[in-house]
């Protein structure tokens, strides 16, 4: 196991940090090209400054090739209109009953926010991602709706639900390199207007369009980041198995969790729930490994898997610093290619950030764990332990009764994992012949039950 502090250094020159950021972001930039991102944003408590910065960030995503569908909800503007008209919404089972006065307030609020968004997307301020941009935002009657109607004897009036969306028109608009703007309204076959829940509409559009990402920017995520650290990467399976305890702990996120879970079980790769008050929230979530919100997905994004030929250069880049400082014995590309079937890797979104090798000595039926490396920026997070556990389980499946490791720096780490100190004569004969006395590597042994 290699050890390094690997901490990000704030004292680095700005130019060095900038170059480092671009290099670390490059894989994501390549990954996001031509991918569909459906983003749901509410203007409740959204300061004009934060909204303007969010628009700049969405424009940047469009500029690097992501296809953006933006669904908005003008909550604060609606509340202002309702207050001005001395009117209030009545809810039944959490669903608003939109009468004629409320409908007029909705129309006014939607119109105002649409104009504001179009204005922000048209801004070309210097020193921002909007400068020199020619990104267009296009809206239209993409959504067909139907009334909820009468439920339990209550007429929901102008409150509606999605009937269908015009997939081909949305795709043609995205192909024009435009951002698609969706209002929380839809029209029936008779031309009547109905008002929809914007977050549910975003979920439905993401599922129908088979979006790569569904992003909720919400004021429901108001707790400090550390309070939801244990669910920052939430599998749908984990949510379904622990729904009661998760909802009890995060009741304000109940509705969004349900939408996120259903989206990821219906064509959407990942759903992100982001705090609205965080400047740059969408860029920090998408272009940093830690992110700033909660990500829901059906499949684990940090996978341990067998190495393949395409991983060889990544493995070399992982081991190179530790070969140079003498921590690891020399290995070249041919060595790794020859023994590739013995390697496993840690894969995070296509980026290899760790590896290990399990070399089986058949004559003695023992195996050596070598080249166990976790990239410095992923250390101190249990990833090395996860790799070791995987390797031990593999050895157990192969009926290997003993594993050993040679190390110059990580003796105590292995001791903490149940290894014991051993002597050279306990090694397989083949390994004794290649043992390098000059390295004076310590020998650690673990018996597998």
């Amino acid at each position: 196991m290699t050890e390094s502090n690997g901490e990000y250094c704030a004292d680095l020159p700005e130019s060095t940090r900038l170059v480092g950021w671009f290099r670390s972001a490059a894989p994501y930039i390549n990954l996001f090209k031509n991918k569909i991102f459906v983003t749901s944003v509410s203007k409740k408590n959204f300061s004009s400054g934060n909204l303007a910065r969010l628009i700049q960030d969405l424009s940047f995503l469009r500029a690097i090739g992501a296809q953006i569908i933006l669904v908005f909800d003008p909550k604060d503007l609606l509340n202002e209109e309702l207050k001005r008209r001395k009117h209030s919404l009545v809810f039944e089972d959490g669903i608003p009953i939109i009468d004629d006065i409320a409908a007029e307030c909705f129309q006014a609020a939607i119109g105002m926010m649409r104009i504001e968004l179009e204005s922000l997307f048209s801004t070309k301020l210097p020193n921002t991602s909007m400068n020199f941009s020619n990104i267009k935002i296009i809206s239209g009657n993409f959504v067909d709706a139907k009334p909820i109607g009468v439920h339990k004897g209550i007429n929901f009036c102008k409150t509606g639900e999605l009937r269908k969306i015009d997939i081909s028109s949305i795709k043609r608009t995205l192909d024009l390199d435009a951002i698609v703007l969706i209002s929380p309204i839809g029209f029936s076959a008779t031309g009547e207007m109905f008002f929809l829940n914007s977050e549910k509409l975003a979920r439905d559009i993401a599922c129908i369009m088979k979006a790569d990402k569904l992003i909720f920017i919400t004021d429901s995520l108001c707790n400090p980041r550390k309070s939801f650290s244990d669910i920052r990467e939430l599998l749908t399976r984990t949510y379904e198995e622990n729904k009661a305890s998760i909802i009890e702990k995060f009741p304000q996120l109940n509705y969004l969790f349900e939408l996120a879970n259903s989206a990821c079980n219906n064509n959407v790769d990942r759903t992100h729930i982001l705090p609205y008050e965080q400047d740059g929230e969408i860029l920090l979530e998408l272009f940093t490994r830690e992110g700033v919100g909660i990500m829901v997905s059906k499949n684990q994004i940090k996978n341990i898997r067998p190495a393949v030929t395409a991983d060889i250069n990544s493995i070399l880049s992982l081991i190179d610093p530790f070969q140079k400082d003498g921590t690891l014995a020399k290995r070249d590309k041919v060595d790794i290619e020859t023994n590739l079937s013995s390697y496993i890797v840690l894969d995070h979104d296509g980026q290899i950030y760790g590896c290990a090798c399990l070399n089986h000595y058949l004559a003695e039926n023992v195996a050596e764990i070598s080249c166990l490396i976790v990239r410095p920026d992923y250390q101190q997070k249990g990833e090395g332990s996860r790799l070791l556990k995987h390797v031990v389980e593999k050895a157990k499946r192969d009926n290997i009764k003993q594993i050993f490791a040679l190390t110059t720096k990580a003796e105590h780490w292995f001791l903490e994992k149940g290894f014991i100190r051993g002597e050279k004569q306990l090694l397989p004969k083949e390994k004794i012949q290649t043992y390098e006395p000059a390295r004076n590597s310590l020998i650690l042994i673990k018996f597998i039950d």
Side-chain angles (χ1 to χ4, degrees), residues 183-199:
S183 306
I185 56 175
F187 300 91
S188 70
T190 60
E192 289 183 82
M193 182 187 298
F194 293 97
F195 299 88
L196 314 176
N197 177 288
S198 65
E199 290 156 338

PDB file of all heavy atoms in Angstrom, residues 183-199:
ATOM      1  N   SER A 183     -41.503  25.751 -19.697  1.00  0.00           N
ATOM      2  CA  SER A 183     -42.306  26.345 -18.633  1.00  0.00           C
ATOM      3  C   SER A 183     -43.162  25.254 -17.989  1.00  0.00           C
ATOM      4  O   SER A 183     -43.491  24.259 -18.634  1.00  0.00           O
ATOM      5  CB  SER A 183     -43.225  27.430 -19.193  1.00  0.00           C
ATOM      6  OG  SER A 183     -42.494  28.387 -19.929  1.00  0.00           O
ATOM      7  N   PRO A 184     -43.579  25.443 -16.738  1.00  0.00           N
ATOM      8  CA  PRO A 184     -44.407  24.431 -16.066  1.00  0.00           C
ATOM      9  C   PRO A 184     -45.874  24.525 -16.490  1.00  0.00           C
ATOM     10  O   PRO A 184     -46.778  24.580 -15.650  1.00  0.00           O
ATOM     11  CB  PRO A 184     -44.210  24.749 -14.589  1.00  0.00           C
ATOM     12  CG  PRO A 184     -44.000  26.224 -14.551  1.00  0.00           C
ATOM     13  CD  PRO A 184     -43.225  26.556 -15.805  1.00  0.00           C
ATOM     14  N   ILE A 185     -46.087  24.579 -17.794  1.00  0.00           N
ATOM     15  CA  ILE A 185     -47.445  24.620 -18.328  1.00  0.00           C
ATOM     16  C   ILE A 185     -47.523  23.671 -19.525  1.00  0.00           C
ATOM     17  O   ILE A 185     -46.514  23.314 -20.126  1.00  0.00           O
ATOM     18  CB  ILE A 185     -47.852  26.045 -18.778  1.00  0.00           C
ATOM     19  CG1 ILE A 185     -46.849  26.591 -19.799  1.00  0.00           C
ATOM     20  CG2 ILE A 185     -47.997  26.975 -17.589  1.00  0.00           C
ATOM     21  CD1 ILE A 185     -47.242  27.942 -20.375  1.00  0.00           C
ATOM     22  N   GLY A 186     -48.734  23.263 -19.839  1.00  0.00           N
ATOM     23  CA  GLY A 186     -48.972  22.444 -21.016  1.00  0.00           C
ATOM     24  C   GLY A 186     -50.342  22.760 -21.572  1.00  0.00           C
ATOM     25  O   GLY A 186     -51.191  23.362 -20.892  1.00  0.00           O
ATOM     26  N   PHE A 187     -50.556  22.365 -22.806  1.00  0.00           N
ATOM     27  CA  PHE A 187     -51.816  22.688 -23.480  1.00  0.00           C
ATOM     28  C   PHE A 187     -52.537  21.406 -23.893  1.00  0.00           C
ATOM     29  O   PHE A 187     -51.906  20.429 -24.315  1.00  0.00           O
ATOM     30  CB  PHE A 187     -51.552  23.564 -24.710  1.00  0.00           C
ATOM     31  CG  PHE A 187     -50.874  24.865 -24.374  1.00  0.00           C
ATOM     32  CD1 PHE A 187     -49.489  24.969 -24.371  1.00  0.00           C
ATOM     33  CD2 PHE A 187     -51.628  25.978 -24.028  1.00  0.00           C
ATOM     34  CE1 PHE A 187     -48.864  26.155 -24.058  1.00  0.00           C
ATOM     35  CE2 PHE A 187     -51.008  27.179 -23.705  1.00  0.00           C
ATOM     36  CZ  PHE A 187     -49.619  27.270 -23.714  1.00  0.00           C
ATOM     37  N   SER A 188     -53.845  21.452 -23.754  1.00  0.00           N
ATOM     38  CA  SER A 188     -54.656  20.295 -24.138  1.00  0.00           C
ATOM     39  C   SER A 188     -54.977  20.366 -25.624  1.00  0.00           C
ATOM     40  O   SER A 188     -54.678  21.363 -26.303  1.00  0.00           O
ATOM     41  CB  SER A 188     -55.949  20.274 -23.327  1.00  0.00           C
ATOM     42  OG  SER A 188     -56.794  21.345 -23.741  1.00  0.00           O
ATOM     43  N   ALA A 189     -55.613  19.316 -26.127  1.00  0.00           N
ATOM     44  CA  ALA A 189     -55.987  19.273 -27.542  1.00  0.00           C
ATOM     45  C   ALA A 189     -56.989  20.363 -27.892  1.00  0.00           C
ATOM     46  O   ALA A 189     -57.104  20.774 -29.054  1.00  0.00           O
ATOM     47  CB  ALA A 189     -56.557  17.901 -27.891  1.00  0.00           C
ATOM     48  N   THR A 190     -57.707  20.877 -26.879  1.00  0.00           N
ATOM     49  CA  THR A 190     -58.680  21.953 -27.114  1.00  0.00           C
ATOM     50  C   THR A 190     -58.054  23.331 -26.945  1.00  0.00           C
ATOM     51  O   THR A 190     -58.746  24.346 -27.060  1.00  0.00           O
ATOM     52  CB  THR A 190     -59.871  21.812 -26.146  1.00  0.00           C
ATOM     53  OG1 THR A 190     -59.386  21.903 -24.796  1.00  0.00           O
ATOM     54  CG2 THR A 190     -60.567  20.467 -26.350  1.00  0.00           C
ATOM     55  N   GLY A 191     -56.748  23.368 -26.645  1.00  0.00           N
ATOM     56  CA  GLY A 191     -56.062  24.644 -26.493  1.00  0.00           C
ATOM     57  C   GLY A 191     -56.098  25.208 -25.088  1.00  0.00           C
ATOM     58  O   GLY A 191     -55.590  26.309 -24.864  1.00  0.00           O
ATOM     59  N   GLU A 192     -56.667  24.473 -24.142  1.00  0.00           N
ATOM     60  CA  GLU A 192     -56.697  24.963 -22.761  1.00  0.00           C
ATOM     61  C   GLU A 192     -55.323  24.829 -22.116  1.00  0.00           C
ATOM     62  O   GLU A 192     -54.576  23.898 -22.396  1.00  0.00           O
ATOM     63  CB  GLU A 192     -57.726  24.183 -21.948  1.00  0.00           C
ATOM     64  CG  GLU A 192     -59.173  24.477 -22.306  1.00  0.00           C
ATOM     65  CD  GLU A 192     -60.121  23.710 -21.398  1.00  0.00           C
ATOM     66  OE1 GLU A 192     -60.375  24.194 -20.279  1.00  0.00           O
ATOM     67  OE2 GLU A 192     -60.588  22.625 -21.806  1.00  0.00           O
ATOM     68  N   MET A 193     -55.013  25.773 -21.225  1.00  0.00           N
ATOM     69  CA  MET A 193     -53.732  25.784 -20.528  1.00  0.00           C
ATOM     70  C   MET A 193     -53.884  25.143 -19.156  1.00  0.00           C
ATOM     71  O   MET A 193     -54.838  25.430 -18.426  1.00  0.00           O
ATOM     72  CB  MET A 193     -53.236  27.219 -20.368  1.00  0.00           C
ATOM     73  CG  MET A 193     -51.874  27.339 -19.676  1.00  0.00           C
ATOM     74  SD  MET A 193     -51.448  29.067 -19.348  1.00  0.00           S
ATOM     75  CE  MET A 193     -51.375  29.719 -21.011  1.00  0.00           C
ATOM     76  N   PHE A 194     -52.922  24.257 -18.827  1.00  0.00           N
ATOM     77  CA  PHE A 194     -52.910  23.639 -17.507  1.00  0.00           C
ATOM     78  C   PHE A 194     -51.520  23.799 -16.897  1.00  0.00           C
ATOM     79  O   PHE A 194     -50.513  23.838 -17.601  1.00  0.00           O
ATOM     80  CB  PHE A 194     -53.291  22.157 -17.599  1.00  0.00           C
ATOM     81  CG  PHE A 194     -54.723  21.944 -18.015  1.00  0.00           C
ATOM     82  CD1 PHE A 194     -55.028  21.686 -19.342  1.00  0.00           C
ATOM     83  CD2 PHE A 194     -55.754  22.040 -17.103  1.00  0.00           C
ATOM     84  CE1 PHE A 194     -56.338  21.514 -19.752  1.00  0.00           C
ATOM     85  CE2 PHE A 194     -57.069  21.866 -17.495  1.00  0.00           C
ATOM     86  CZ  PHE A 194     -57.368  21.610 -18.821  1.00  0.00           C
ATOM     87  N   PHE A 195     -51.496  23.901 -15.582  1.00  0.00           N
ATOM     88  CA  PHE A 195     -50.261  24.181 -14.860  1.00  0.00           C
ATOM     89  C   PHE A 195     -49.762  22.906 -14.195  1.00  0.00           C
ATOM     90  O   PHE A 195     -50.521  22.178 -13.556  1.00  0.00           O
ATOM     91  CB  PHE A 195     -50.505  25.300 -13.846  1.00  0.00           C
ATOM     92  CG  PHE A 195     -50.935  26.573 -14.501  1.00  0.00           C
ATOM     93  CD1 PHE A 195     -52.290  26.810 -14.744  1.00  0.00           C
ATOM     94  CD2 PHE A 195     -50.014  27.508 -14.922  1.00  0.00           C
ATOM     95  CE1 PHE A 195     -52.699  27.969 -15.383  1.00  0.00           C
ATOM     96  CE2 PHE A 195     -50.418  28.671 -15.559  1.00  0.00           C
ATOM     97  CZ  PHE A 195     -51.769  28.905 -15.800  1.00  0.00           C
ATOM     98  N   LEU A 196     -48.460  22.660 -14.354  1.00  0.00           N
ATOM     99  CA  LEU A 196     -47.869  21.396 -13.937  1.00  0.00           C
ATOM    100  C   LEU A 196     -46.833  21.603 -12.830  1.00  0.00           C
ATOM    101  O   LEU A 196     -46.261  22.680 -12.693  1.00  0.00           O
ATOM    102  CB  LEU A 196     -47.180  20.718 -15.136  1.00  0.00           C
ATOM    103  CG  LEU A 196     -47.972  20.672 -16.449  1.00  0.00           C
ATOM    104  CD1 LEU A 196     -47.115  20.069 -17.549  1.00  0.00           C
ATOM    105  CD2 LEU A 196     -49.248  19.870 -16.274  1.00  0.00           C
ATOM    106  N   ASN A 197     -46.591  20.549 -12.079  1.00  0.00           N
ATOM    107  CA  ASN A 197     -45.511  20.570 -11.094  1.00  0.00           C
ATOM    108  C   ASN A 197     -44.185  20.519 -11.846  1.00  0.00           C
ATOM    109  O   ASN A 197     -43.915  19.576 -12.601  1.00  0.00           O
ATOM    110  CB  ASN A 197     -45.647  19.358 -10.154  1.00  0.00           C
ATOM    111  CG  ASN A 197     -44.524  19.279  -9.141  1.00  0.00           C
ATOM    112  OD1 ASN A 197     -43.406  18.961  -9.482  1.00  0.00           O
ATOM    113  ND2 ASN A 197     -44.849  19.565  -7.897  1.00  0.00           N
ATOM    114  N   SER A 198     -43.346  21.526 -11.663  1.00  0.00           N
ATOM    115  CA  SER A 198     -42.138  21.657 -12.486  1.00  0.00           C
ATOM    116  C   SER A 198     -41.133  20.532 -12.235  1.00  0.00           C
ATOM    117  O   SER A 198     -40.478  20.056 -13.168  1.00  0.00           O
ATOM    118  CB  SER A 198     -41.470  23.012 -12.231  1.00  0.00           C
ATOM    119  OG  SER A 198     -40.991  23.096 -10.905  1.00  0.00           O
ATOM    120  N   GLU A 199     -40.991  20.100 -10.982  1.00  0.00           N
ATOM    121  CA  GLU A 199     -40.007  19.064 -10.673  1.00  0.00           C
ATOM    122  C   GLU A 199     -40.443  17.712 -11.234  1.00  0.00           C
ATOM    123  O   GLU A 199     -39.632  16.960 -11.784  1.00  0.00           O
ATOM    124  CB  GLU A 199     -39.776  18.999  -9.164  1.00  0.00           C
ATOM    125  CG  GLU A 199     -39.038  20.242  -8.652  1.00  0.00           C
ATOM    126  CD  GLU A 199     -39.281  20.525  -7.187  1.00  0.00           C
ATOM    127  OE1 GLU A 199     -40.319  20.051  -6.660  1.00  0.00           O
ATOM    128  OE2 GLU A 199     -38.449  21.200  -6.575  1.00  0.00           O
TER     129      GLU A 199
END
